[in-house]
Amino acid sequence: RRVRAEQPVTIGLIIYPGFTQLDITGPYEVFNRFPNVKTYVIAETTEPVRSDTGLEIIPNVTFEDCPSLTMICIGGCGWPALYDQSTNNQLLGFLKEKAKDTQYITSVCSGSVILASAGLLDNYNATCHWLFKPVLKLFPGVKVVEGYERVVEDRDRLTGGGVTAGIDFGFAIGEKLFGKPAADRVRLLLEYNPMPPFEAGSPVTADPEIRKAFENSDKINEYYQKMKELSLIHI
């Protein structure tokens, strides 16, 4: 639903220990170039939260103090943080409560697995980072989209692909809320004109041996089994 120019837009971005910072900072940069936007960085406390690569971000609101939101987004992470957050009852409870009155429930990367763990993607089309699609498919209520879409929209749910897709996701939300002319202005301001120098950023174009090394890693297989046990709760 398009917002009126004078209508404030409140966006909540959730972070937690081990989150992938570009899942959040990419959309954050995009959102805050639109007019009349207030962005909240949400966590369990307001203590600095360390990402999976060591960057620390300071939240400005907690689960308890979070105001009403137009949109909420949770970014992804790797192991073991994904399992930890998919079983974090405080986080899942917060997401479920916010879903009652938030216009858009969204995610980037493996954040959709956390939404699925909260039961918020049941009967919705969704995507995630290519490496975590087998995990997302463990949740029987989720309609995992085949292929490698950057952004999947289904009614009030938007899910982004892996990491860098968070920027595409940010523009998709921006266009929905503010219209294409406004989104185009921000695209130009940020010089959003991707021209990757290598064609290895997709499972389709990457070296098959590199892809297999990721897919067959012991850590992936270990946590896949843990998530398989967790997903049985949703059957």
Side-chain angles (χ1 to χ4, degrees):
R1 186 179 63 187
R2 192 73 47 81
V3 296
R4 297 188 301 272
E6 71 279 6
Q7 185 178 355
V9 172
T10 52
I11 292 174
L13 303 173
I14 301 173
I15 61 175
Y16 47 82
F19 74 103
T20 297
Q21 61 86 12
L22 191 57
D23 291 357
I24 294 299
T25 55
Y28 182 97
E29 183 67 31
V30 174
F31 294 147
N32 284 282
R33 301 294 178 168
F34 287 92
N36 210 15
V37 170
K38 173 63 178 176
T39 304
Y40 296 95
V41 179
I42 310 165
E44 289 190 35
T45 74
T46 54
E47 293 297 311
V49 181
R50 186 181 293 269
S51 77
D52 55 1
T53 55
L55 182 68
E56 291 190 342
I57 293 181
I58 301 174
N60 55 15
V61 72
T62 67
F63 293 169
E64 185 177 353
D65 301 329
C66 185
S68 296
L69 299 171
T70 307
M71 189 213 81
I72 194 166
C73 176
I74 185 161
C77 55
W79 307 114
L82 185 58
Y83 181 82
D84 292 343
Q85 299 309 316
S86 295
T87 55
N88 180 343
N89 289 329
Q90 277 190 286
L91 172 58
L92 300 183
F94 172 73
L95 284 166
K96 290 175 186 178
E97 188 62 30
K98 279 298 174 188
K100 295 176 182 178
D101 60 3
T102 299
Q103 188 174 339
Y104 293 107
I105 312 300
T106 73
S107 65
V108 175
C109 197
S110 59
S112 56
V113 174
I114 301 174
L115 289 184
S117 298
L120 296 176
L121 289 181
D122 288 351
N123 300 310
Y124 284 91
N125 292 306
T127 192
C128 63
H129 188 292
W130 68 270
L131 194 55
F132 293 91
K133 277 198 166 186
V135 176
L136 191 58
K137 288 179 178 179
L138 290 172
F139 294 85
V142 183
K143 302 173 183 177
V144 181
V145 173
E146 297 301 326
Y148 304 102
E149 299 290 334
R150 300 286 280 178
V151 182
V152 169
E153 178 182 350
D154 187 350
R155 293 159 286 169
D156 61 347
R157 304 293 196 264
L158 279 84
T159 52
V163 192
T164 59
I167 299 174
D168 302 58
F169 161 84
F171 281 116
I173 287 284
E175 187 167 325
K176 284 185 69 65
L177 291 174
F178 297 98
K180 188 175 186 300
D184 283 346
R185 286 193 292 271
V186 177
R187 279 189 270 265
L188 182 57
L189 177 64
L190 297 183
E191 201 171 346
Y192 183 64
N193 185 33
M195 291 184 286
F198 308 105
E199 294 186 352
S202 163
V204 176
T205 57
D207 183 324
E209 293 304 314
I210 295 176
R211 175 176 173 167
K212 287 178 184 176
F214 279 115
E215 292 173 329
N216 296 331
S217 74
D218 291 340
K219 184 176 287 189
I220 288 289
N221 291 324
E222 174 190 351
Y223 279 97
Y224 176 84
Q225 293 304 319
K226 286 189 174 185
M227 292 300 295
K228 189 173 183 179
E229 294 169 11
L230 175 64
S231 68
L232 291 175
I233 298 170
H234 297 267
I235 295 177

